[in-house]
Amino acid sequence: FGINFAAYVSEMFRAAIEAGAQAIMPYGYSVVPYLGGDAVTRPAHESSAVMTDLLRGVLGFGGLIQTDWGLKHADAALAGADVLGGAGQRDIPKVAAALTAERLDQSVRRILEIKFAMGLFENPYVDPAAAEQLIGTAESRELARRAAAESLTLVKLGEALPVRDGARVLVAGALADDVEALNSGWKCPGQVGTSILEEIRSRAAVTTFA
């Protein structure tokens, strides 16, 4: 498509850093082959090409690099991650054995510096009653909708897309009518939402199956 994907990825990270991001979670379980190095075969949160070479080296990112869950934690730490998602008691000895004291100090220092800057040592608690004023606001919902709309990719298959008037639309899958699946539980108790199936039904007079 004439796109330099390596440059595109670099600019996305650069924009996040310039916007003030203090923590970055790479692409999770995806490889990033156009960056080369171990990113060709390793997922981004286990890749030194992504975390050490690009984020730390090229872009000079000094904040936290964190990972998603379900990975090889020692490999992720060696590749440059500071915060290891889902690491439990059985994982800690492996991570400690794999890292030098100097490397461990680097991550600990970054974590402590950000916690101090956020004031978490002076006031480590949150007000549960204030959560509803901050989570799921109209402003944040609109921002999420805009981000989703601008990142969608429409794949054309023959003449089936876009959907024509009077077409039959199949909405399948166990999670099609599951609101919780859309946010993985990251919301306040009692907050309402709309499932994919409900939203399609509200926007189009189509025949649906679930």
Side-chain angles (χ1 to χ4, degrees), residues 22-28 44-46 50-51 55-56 61 63-69 71 76 80-85 111 114:
Q22 294 297 305
I24 291 179
M25 180 187 293
Y27 324 94
H45 59 193
E46 295 176 11
V50 173
M51 295 188 286
L55 282 174
R56 300 294 188 204
F61 180 59
L64 296 180
I65 299 178
Q66 57 194 66
T67 74
D68 209 338
W69 288 43
L71 68 153
D82 301 304
V83 180
L84 307 174
I111 294 170
I114 288 180

Side-chain angles (χ1 to χ4, degrees), residues 141 145 171 173-183 187 191-203 208 210:
R141 285 175 180 269
R145 286 180 183 275
V171 181
L175 303 181
D177 201 25
D178 187 342
V179 177
E180 297 296 330
L182 297 178
N183 54 43
K187 65 182 184 65
Q191 280 189 322
V192 298
T194 306
S195 71
I196 294 174
L197 179 59
E198 289 173 334
E199 190 67 20
I200 291 176
R201 279 177 170 157
S202 70
R203 290 174 178 267
T208 58

Side-chain angles (χ1 to χ4, degrees), residues 28 119 131 146:
R146 189 164 76 248

Side-chain angles (χ1 to χ4, degrees), residues 40-202:
V40 175
T41 57
R42 285 179 173 269
H45 59 193
E46 295 176 11
S47 167
S48 61
V50 173
M51 295 188 286
T52 298
D53 298 343
L54 177 59
L55 282 174
R56 300 294 188 204
V58 175
L59 301 178
F61 180 59
L64 296 180
I65 299 178
Q66 57 194 66
T67 74
D68 209 338
W69 288 43
L71 68 153
K72 298 175 182 176
H73 297 97
D75 289 352
L78 286 170
D82 301 304
V83 180
L84 307 174
Q89 293 182 352
R90 289 182 296 179
D91 304 294
I92 299 305
K94 298 177 183 178
V95 173
L99 299 181
T100 63
E102 181 182 8
R103 172 66 189 86
L104 184 60
D105 286 345
Q106 287 178 338
S107 289
V108 172
R109 184 178 298 108
R110 293 188 189 109
I111 294 170
L112 291 177
E113 286 176 348
I114 288 180
K115 286 189 173 185
F116 273 116
M118 295 177 65
L120 293 179
F121 287 97
E122 293 79 11
N123 183 20
Y125 304 105
V126 298
D127 180 4
E132 294 182 3
Q133 301 173 14
L134 302 173
I135 301 175
T137 63
E139 181 182 4
S140 63
R141 285 175 180 269
E142 176 56 32
L143 179 60
R145 286 180 183 275
R146 189 164 76 248
E150 293 178 0
S151 63
L152 289 175
T153 301
L154 179 64
V155 180
K156 186 173 183 180
L157 178 60
E159 298 301 321
L161 297 174
V163 177
R164 299 182 297 273
D165 291 341
R168 292 165 61 89
V169 176
L170 172 65
V171 181
L175 303 181
D177 201 25
D178 187 342
V179 177
E180 297 296 330
L182 297 178
N183 54 43
S184 299
W186 297 105
K187 65 182 184 65
C188 292
Q191 280 189 322
V192 298
T194 306
S195 71
I196 294 174
L197 179 59
E198 289 173 334
E199 190 67 20
I200 291 176
R201 279 177 170 157
S202 70

